[in-house]
Amino acid sequence: MRRFTRGLTACALVLATVAGTAGWAAGDVQTAVTGPPPGTAAWTADRLFARPLPDPASATPEQVARFFAGLTAAQRTALAERHPLVVGGLDGAPPDLRYAANARALTAGRDHELARAADPEQPEGARREARARAATYDGLLTPGRRVLAFDPRGRGQVAEVYGDLRTARRVAVVVPGSDTDLASYDVAAGMARELRAEMTRRSPQDRPAVIVWVGYTTPVGVGWDAATGHLAEEGAPRLLRFLDGLAATTRPVAPPSVFCHSYGSVLCGAAAHRLTGRQASDLVVAASPGMRLEHAGQVPVGARSRLWATARNATDWISRIPPVELFGLGHGADPAAPGFGARVVASDRAEGHTGYFAPGTASLSNYAAIAVGAYGAVTCAHPIGDTTTKDCSHGLA
C-alpha cells in the first residue's frame, strides 16, 4: 500500500510539473504520421519495367538498395521523376537520387501552395498557411541543400544532410524533440551543423556528414503527448528503418553515432531494444526527460558499452521533470543519473535546454569526440560504473 501511495504521489508530481513547466493547455494531441511514403499506391501499380517495384511497406532497405543497384542510371531517373515522393522517402534508395527526387517533390509542393495562396476562394487563414509552407519549401530548394527525406503529410517531416554521404568516413544523426517539424527544425539543424563543424575541426580527414532527422511526429508544447511515449513508440520503427537505409547505402568506417535530444531521447529509448551494432555505434542522449528504460543494460549488446548521457546543466528546465513513469505518464529514470549505467559526459558551459551543441561547450566537444571515435578525448562527469575513474574510454575497445 505504501508503494502504491508513493507511485500515486509521483504520478501527481509528474502532472503538476508538466503543467507548471510550460502549461498543460499548451500541449496539443498529435496523430502520428506512419506507414510508407505518400504516392505508394501509384508506385506499386506502376509496371514501367514490366515487373513489380519493391513495396515500400514491406521491402527492407537492403532489398531496396539491391533493386536500385540493378537499374541503369536512366531507369533510376525515370522512377524519381514519376514517383518523387516515394523515391525521396524510400530508405535504401541511393542518396543522390533521393536528393533529386525530393527537389522535384518540393518544387511541385511549392507551386501547389503558391496556387492555393493566390486562390481568392480560399479563406485568408488557409492562404496565409499556404504562403508559409511555400516559403518553407522554397528555402529547402536553395542550391546546395541535400534533402534526404521529405513528407508533406501532417506538420511535415524532413531529413537533411550536412556534408557528403558519398565520401564521409564518419556519420552522425541528430534526432530532435518536441515542437520540431518541417517548418520549425532550425534549432535542430543548427545542432547538426555545429556538430559537423566540431567533428571536422577534430578530424578533418574523416570528412564527416551529419543528418538532422525529423522523421517522426513530435509532441507540440508540453502536454499529454510530451508526457507519454505513444509518439516515441510510433516513431521508433521509422528511425530503425532509416538507420538500416544508411547501412545499405553508405560506407563509413563505423556505423553512425545517434544523438537524441529531449523527447528524441524517449524515441531512442523506444528504439533501443531493437538497435543493432550495424545501425549505430554510439547512442547519445542530451536534455533527456528519460528513455523509458530502467538501466543502460537494456540497450542491446553492440551499443550497451557506448550508451552516453549528458550531464544536465543548471539552467535546463528538464531537470524539473521527476524521473518516474507510472500509468504511462513520465519517462522513467534519468539517463544521466550515476545509477543508470550510462557514460555521462561533461557539459560545462552549456546553458538552457538546447545549449548542449553550442560552440565552446564541453558537451559539443565530447559529442564530436564520440562521433569520430576519439573516445580517449571524452571527459566524463562522474566515475564509470563501479570504478573510480572518470576516463570515459575505460572499458571501450
Side-chain angles (χ1 to χ4, degrees), residues 58-232:
S58 59
T60 66
E62 291 80 5
Q63 290 170 332
V64 171
R66 287 196 296 271
F67 168 79
F68 278 100
L71 301 180
T72 66
Q75 289 173 325
R76 289 193 289 269
T77 299
L79 283 177
E81 291 176 348
R82 288 164 71 95
H83 307 282
L85 281 171
V86 174
V87 173
L90 196 55
D91 295 313
D96 284 349
L97 187 67
R98 293 179 69 173
Y99 301 152
N102 285 319
R104 189 177 186 88
L106 284 161
T107 299
R110 179 196 59 191
D111 294 346
H112 173 73
E113 296 298 340
L114 288 174
R116 285 183 63 220
D119 184 356
E121 298 298 319
Q122 292 285 335
E124 178 54 34
R127 295 171 66 184
R128 185 167 54 249
E129 180 183 321
R131 285 192 295 271
R133 185 158 279 213
T136 297
Y137 292 169
D138 201 48
L140 288 169
L141 287 165
T142 302
R145 298 189 75 166
R146 296 181 170 100
V147 178
L148 188 61
F150 163 63
D151 190 332
R153 293 177 295 177
R155 289 156 44 218
Q157 298 180 0
V158 64
E160 187 170 6
V161 180
Y162 300 96
D164 191 342
L165 288 175
R166 294 172 301 178
T167 60
R169 299 181 73 251
R170 294 284 182 175
V171 176
V173 178
V174 175
V175 181
S178 297
D179 297 306
T180 311
D181 54 34
L182 182 64
S184 64
Y185 78 105
D186 287 350
V187 172
M191 293 176 183
R193 290 193 297 268
E194 296 294 358
L195 177 57
R196 179 173 180 260
E198 187 68 13
M199 290 170 66
T200 301
R201 186 196 67 77
R202 181 176 290 276
S203 186
Q205 68 275 13
D206 279 327
R207 301 181 295 278
V210 180
I211 305 165
V212 56
W213 181 81
V214 191
Y216 76 109
T217 303
T218 67
V220 171
V222 181
W224 181 262
D225 285 343
T228 63
H230 79 102
L231 291 179

